């Protein structure tokens, strides 16, 4: 099936309140153009250099999401235009995003990445580290970031019950953090979880943003 057909089918299957980030990393600009022409405006990339190169040549009304590990020294390159950064995993990174956003008189939306998967290759805060960060109050003194929720990945396994359990944990943590630190804050509303192989389970477990690459663009060539 074509990118257009994949998108149409996927979109038709999603509840209205779930945002689709089309993960276009490693795919050429032509592939993004096809998705754009099919109506897609929200794209996700995981490498700063690739993202800035694509942003330069693609239409200005695209909403760009950064979803991969982000080095502090790369923040300045994406700060002028990035819509949301899903992968914040340290106070240092948060401070740098705040600083660069201020330079451009912007407020950058961020998600705190939480590590729940049974794999040590995945980035992110443990639930305790995340609560420690929020207890420190440091994030609440930054005027050029908006903390909009949390992001997570489940273990890459065929065991659907384990995946569900991990998404369930992420949703519980989201609710707890919301209640404790963001009770009257309407911006803290996003739970970014679910990829090509597990997004239907993520949606059942209350995901609000799914990040889907392969099911739209096909396999990546690294
Ligand atoms: C690549 C990537 C995705 C998309 O993965 P697919 O399996 O291709 O849907 C989602 N989230 C993150 C953080 C990624 O790096």
């Amino acid at each position: 099936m074509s990118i257009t057909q994949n998108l149409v089918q996927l979109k038709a299957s999603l509840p209205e309140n779930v945002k689709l980030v089309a993960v276009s990393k490693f795919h050429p600009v032509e592939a993004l153009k096809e998705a754009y022409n099919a109506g897609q405006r929200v794209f996700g990339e995981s490498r700063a250099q690739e993202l800035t190169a694509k942003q330069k040549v693609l239409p200005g009304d695209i909403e760009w999401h950064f979803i991969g590990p982000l080095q502090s020294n790369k923040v300045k390159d994406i700060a002028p235009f990035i819509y949301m950064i899903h992968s914040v995993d340290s106070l240092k990174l948060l401070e740098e995003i705040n600083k660069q956003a201020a330079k451009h008189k912007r407020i950058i939306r961020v998600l705190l990445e939480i590590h729940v998967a049974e794999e040590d290759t995945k980035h992110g805060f443990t639930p305790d580290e995340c609560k420690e960060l929020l207890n420190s109050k440091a994030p609440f003194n930054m005027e050029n970031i908006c903390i909009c929720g949390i992001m997570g990945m489940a273990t890459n396994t065929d065991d659907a019950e384990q995946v569900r359990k991990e998404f369930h944990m992420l949703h519980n943590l989201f609710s707890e953090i919301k209640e404790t630190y963001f009770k009257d804050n309407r911006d803290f509303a996003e739970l970014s979880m679910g990829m090509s192989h597990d997004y239907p389970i993520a949606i059942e477990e209350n995901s609000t943003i799914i990040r889907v690459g392969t099911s739209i663009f096909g396999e990546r060539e690294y």
Side-chain angles (χ1 to χ4, degrees):
M1 285 213 301
S2 70
I3 291 170
T4 302
Q5 286 169 321
N6 290 340
L7 260 175
V8 168
Q9 215 173 67
L10 177 56
K11 286 226 151 181
S13 75
L14 299 181
E16 253 176 50
N17 59 331
V18 173
K19 178 179 270 196
L20 170 64
V21 176
V23 177
S24 46
K25 64 189 186 196
F26 293 93
H27 290 286
V29 165
E30 289 64 40
L32 284 80
K33 277 186 185 156
E34 181 175 344
Y36 182 91
N37 288 334
Q40 183 65 22
R41 292 294 179 273
V42 183
F43 290 85
E45 289 280 338
S46 60
R47 297 183 302 174
Q49 202 176 0
E50 182 179 348
L51 169 55
T52 48
K54 286 174 174 171
Q55 190 267 342
K56 268 192 200 113
V57 298
L58 285 161
D61 64 344
I62 289 179
E63 184 183 300
W64 292 103
H65 291 238
F66 196 88
I67 63 169
L70 181 58
Q71 291 172 318
S72 290
N73 63 359
K74 298 285 170 62
V75 173
K76 62 178 184 312
D77 301 332
I78 65 171
F81 64 86
I82 197 73
Y83 178 84
M84 181 180 271
I85 299 174
H86 291 226
S87 42
V88 172
D89 60 358
S90 72
L91 175 60
K92 182 178 166 226
L93 182 56
L94 209 52
E95 286 169 339
E96 180 65 13
I97 295 168
N98 186 51
K99 182 175 144 192
Q100 296 299 333
K103 275 190 192 163
H104 296 280
K105 299 191 165 58
R106 299 190 66 222
I107 292 174
I108 296 180
R109 296 165 188 80
V110 300
L111 303 178
L112 303 173
E113 182 173 355
I114 310 293
H115 177 110
V116 292
E118 281 180 10
E119 292 159 6
D120 16 289
T121 54
K122 302 251 157 87
H123 301 256
F125 296 105
T126 65
D128 281 343
E129 287 167 349
C130 183
K131 287 179 225 169
E132 246 172 68
L133 172 75
L134 295 167
N135 280 332
S136 80
K137 300 278 192 291
F140 299 103
N141 296 322
M142 300 182 194
E143 293 187 343
N144 293 81
I145 57 161
C146 173
I147 302 179
C148 295
I150 68 175
M151 180 272 236
M153 274 180 264
T155 305
N156 188 4
T157 170
D158 290 334
D159 182 349
E161 282 321 300
Q162 182 176 350
V163 170
R164 184 179 299 281
K165 195 182 80 189
E166 290 171 358
F167 285 151
H168 199 80
M169 280 170 56
L170 283 167
H171 180 248
N172 280 345
L173 183 68
F174 169 83
S175 302
E176 184 191 341
I177 291 176
K178 169 111 188 129
E179 179 68 23
T180 312
Y181 305 97
F182 296 92
K183 203 169 174 27
D184 299 314
N185 179 325
R186 295 174 64 193
D187 295 319
F188 192 91
E190 307 296 348
L191 179 53
S192 168
M193 59 183 196
M195 304 164 52
S196 290
H197 64 284
D198 58 17
Y199 74 84
I201 303 176
I203 291 172
E204 285 171 12
E205 297 298 331
N206 299 297
S207 172
T208 67
I209 303 179
I210 59 171
R211 311 175 309 268
V212 178
T214 310
S215 294
I216 298 171
F217 296 106
E219 295 293 334
R220 288 176 286 273
E221 283 180 38
Y222 294 104

